[in-house]
Amino acid sequence: MQKSQEGFTWTAKGDFQGKSVLLVEARDRIGGRCWTAEAGDDTKVELGGTWVHWQQPHVFSELQRYDLANFQETVAFPENGEFVVKESRSHPARVQNSAEGQVMMERLEGLMEKFFDNPDYLELDKLSLADRIAQLDSCSQEERSMLSAHTASFYGVSPEKVSFAEVLHTHALCNFDPAMMDIAIMKYKIARGTTAFARAILDDYKRARIFGSPFVSKFVIPTIPINVISSITFDPPLSTLQREVFSTGVTPAKSDKLLVCTSSDLRNGFNVTCEGGDMPYTSGFADGKHGNHTLLTLLAHPGNNLDRSEENIRLMETLRPTGIQVDSACGHLWSEDSYAGGVTPVRGPEFLQKYHDAIRRPHGQVHLCGSDFADGGRGFISGVFEDAYRVTRDILR
Ligand SMILES: Cc1cc2nc3c(=O)[nH]c(=O)nc-3n(C[C@H](O)[C@H](O)[C@H](O)COP(=O)(O)OP(=O)(O)OC[C@H]3O[C@@H](n4cnc5c(N)ncnc54)[C@H](O)[C@@H]3O)c2cc1C
């Protein structure tokens, strides 16, 4: 048995409501797509899932349970909009000063209202983001470009591959309020970090666990990401629809995450989303102050080798505004992580009607579970808990 950060195999007496439980984890750490790293100077950086909000009830109640509901703020929002770019593949970059940045973010908010304004939900499920933007006759080319860059940046894949219903779903969970959407999905970070959160849950679990071991036998609750399920053989095989989803039904968002500390004076306002073009990243924003440094978060296209520091610096030289000084940087290549297969599975048009129920159906004793399968909070940390409640209920029943 391998030694790991989380200890050796450990067998405990006791069970959970009459069921014995064994935790099997392929990595040598807990947390999966949530992972906090120390970046010197008492700076903690989140390499994976980061932002949470009380609009996401399941994660918020678990944070309360473990006394971890203290937050740090990301500061890349309109009130601080020093530097704002919303650039699509077809439209040139827009670079603004603080006052113009704020106007631009307000304008974007109005555009998002138009974008979401359509009550026919089943028809909308057939649309991609690109289809929906093409329907907005009253918008100028520049406005469409802003919308395209902004909405596609949530997923890191091109707007043709993203189901409009997915974005609408998140919008609905944010009270149909575009301003709330920015705040709920990209503002509050857990002060002690997501790894501290995962460890608190693991400490509470107190049952048998195996780390550093991809599972090889039959399991009841695989909580593995949709992007990597197709690498696992199920016997008997999964249903045809399930296999279709796991092999071709989703587009893995292959963004890599890079965190950069800079002492350049950005006065904190920095919010950029670029859809392809010459920029190596899809989005970048100021992520809080650490002493004299500003932390920048970048979600980058794969293939930039962001874990190598010279490349990091070269990447930053291509940033607008130019001349940002990189003091330190670290990141993780989610695109090459064989236990994640990318950031998240991106659902395309018609996914909801064709596949959503099918992937959540138990396969004999196998219950697929995790944030990727959640009904409400899919793609978010909150979805982890929401879906665990569902599957635990089903199994106990
Ligand atoms: C860069 C990035 C940014 C994100 N930003 C946010 C954010 O700001 N807010 C937010 O709410 N969410 C965010 N997310 C999404 C969030 O992190 C995930 O939705 C959530 O962590 C997924 O949790 P999970 O338990 O369902 O899956 P995972 O965390 O992926 O856990 C699955 C576990 O299964 C293990 N595993 C895989 N294969 C095997 C195998 N064969 N055998 C045994 N074990 C295996 C993996 O190692 C992993 O530990 C982000 C994700 C990333 C990557």
Side-chain angles (χ1 to χ4, degrees):
M1 192 55 54
Q2 291 180 35
K3 190 168 188 220
S4 76
Q5 284 179 36
E6 317 297 349
F8 297 99
T9 299
W10 179 63
T11 313
K13 289 200 179 116
D15 51 20
F16 177 75
Q17 298 197 13
K19 312 277 176 208
S20 54
V21 183
L22 172 66
L23 169 77
V24 181
E25 167 56 56
R27 305 176 199 268
D28 67 354
R29 63 169 180 84
I30 191 75
R33 278 172 282 167
C34 287
W35 188 11
T36 316
E38 300 287 338
D41 293 344
D42 292 332
T43 302
K44 283 193 173 65
V45 294
E46 294 291 357
L47 300 175
T50 306
W51 296 282
V52 294
H53 196 272
W54 38 101
Q55 286 282 123
Q56 299 158 351
H58 308 294
V59 67
F60 202 70
S61 76
E62 296 296 325
L63 285 167
Q64 290 290 357
R65 182 206 296 252
Y66 294 106
D67 194 16
L68 288 168
N70 292 312
F71 304 101
Q72 286 174 345
E73 288 184 37
T74 291
V75 284
F77 285 94
E79 69 270 24
N80 316 82
E82 182 79 6
F83 182 80
V84 182
V85 175
K86 301 284 158 193
E87 173 186 285
S88 80
R89 275 171 297 180
S90 59
H91 202 276
R94 298 183 45 112
V95 180
Q96 313 291 321
N97 64 31
S98 179
E100 287 173 338
Q102 183 161 347
V103 170
M104 186 172 183
M105 293 302 271
E106 281 164 11
R107 204 167 143 213
L108 188 63
E109 220 173 287
L111 285 172
M112 292 288 275
E113 305 251 11
K114 265 192 208 168
F115 178 67
F116 288 125
D117 183 22
N118 189 327
D120 191 344
Y121 290 85
L122 287 182
E123 276 305 303
L124 291 180
D125 185 39
K126 297 183 184 148
L127 302 181
S128 68
L129 292 184
D131 297 332
R132 175 63 186 147
I133 291 167
Q135 287 180 342
L136 301 176
D137 296 332
S138 60
C139 291
S140 65
Q141 177 57 41
E142 180 193 63
E143 289 171 333
R144 287 174 206 217
S145 165
M146 282 165 67
L147 271 178
S148 182
H150 186 67
T151 53
S153 76
F154 302 157
Y155 298 91
V157 304
S158 66
E160 292 78 21
K161 295 191 169 161
V162 186
S163 152
F164 172 60
E166 277 304 289
V167 196
L168 185 62
H169 170 89
T170 308
H171 178 57
L173 290 177
C174 297
N175 296 344
F176 298 95
D177 176 354
M180 172 54 79
M181 196 157 160
D182 281 341
I183 291 168
I185 67 179
M186 247 180 62
K187 183 133 182 131
Y188 295 101
K189 298 184 279 182
I190 303 166
R192 285 177 50 206
T194 56
T195 295
F197 186 26
R199 288 237 168 90
I201 297 169
L202 183 66
D203 289 347
D204 207 14
Y205 164 71
K206 295 188 181 65
R207 290 181 181 84
R209 79 265 326 253
I210 299 175
F211 276 85
S213 168
F215 65 70
V216 287
S217 58
K218 187 164 121 188
F219 278 85
V220 177
I221 317 176
T223 63
I224 55 182
I226 284 184
N227 289 339
V228 293
I229 287 189
S230 62
S231 65
I232 290 165
T233 308
F234 288 84
D235 181 14
L238 295 170
S239 73
T240 313
L241 264 187
Q242 283 175 325
R243 275 180 288 148
E244 196 174 303
V245 174
F246 302 140
S247 54
T248 55
V250 290
T251 312
K254 293 277 192 186
S255 307
D256 294 328
K257 191 164 174 182
L258 173 71
L259 288 304
V260 166
C261 271
T262 175
S263 46
S264 304
D265 182 15
L266 290 167
R267 274 172 276 165
N268 268 336
F270 175 82
N271 183 313
V272 179
T273 54
C274 298
E275 189 198 298
D278 60 338
M279 299 291 260
Y281 57 91
T282 52
S283 54
F285 30 87
D287 203 356
K289 276 276 191 196
H290 293 269
N292 295 328
H293 292 98
T294 298
L295 188 64
L296 301 180
T297 287
L298 304 179
L299 285 171
H301 300 302
N304 287 303
N305 291 325
L306 296 183
D307 53 344
R308 301 225 304 273
S309 59
E310 325 92 70
E311 259 86 3
N312 290 339
I313 289 164
R314 210 172 308 147
L315 175 82
M316 292 305 296
E317 285 167 4
T318 67
L319 267 179
R320 304 186 189 99
T322 50
I324 289 179
Q325 185 192 332
V326 177
D327 301 323
S328 61
C330 70
H332 184 65
L333 305 186
W334 292 103
S335 58
E336 291 180 13
D337 183 323
S338 51
Y339 297 124
V343 171
T344 192
V346 181
R347 286 147 164 86
E350 299 197 290
F351 187 99
L352 204 56
Q353 290 173 72
K354 264 168 86 181
Y355 300 127
H356 182 66
D357 289 337
I359 59 168
R360 288 154 54 86
R361 239 166 255 142
H363 176 66
Q365 283 193 299
V366 176
H367 293 248
L368 297 167
C369 176
S371 174
D372 294 352
F373 297 89
D375 208 14
R378 53 180 175 264
F380 292 95
I381 302 167
S382 199
V384 174
F385 302 102
E386 179 196 319
D387 211 47
Y389 304 148
R390 167 184 76 94
V391 169
T392 311
R393 262 192 327 264
D394 286 354
I395 288 173
L396 291 176
R397 237 180 245 146

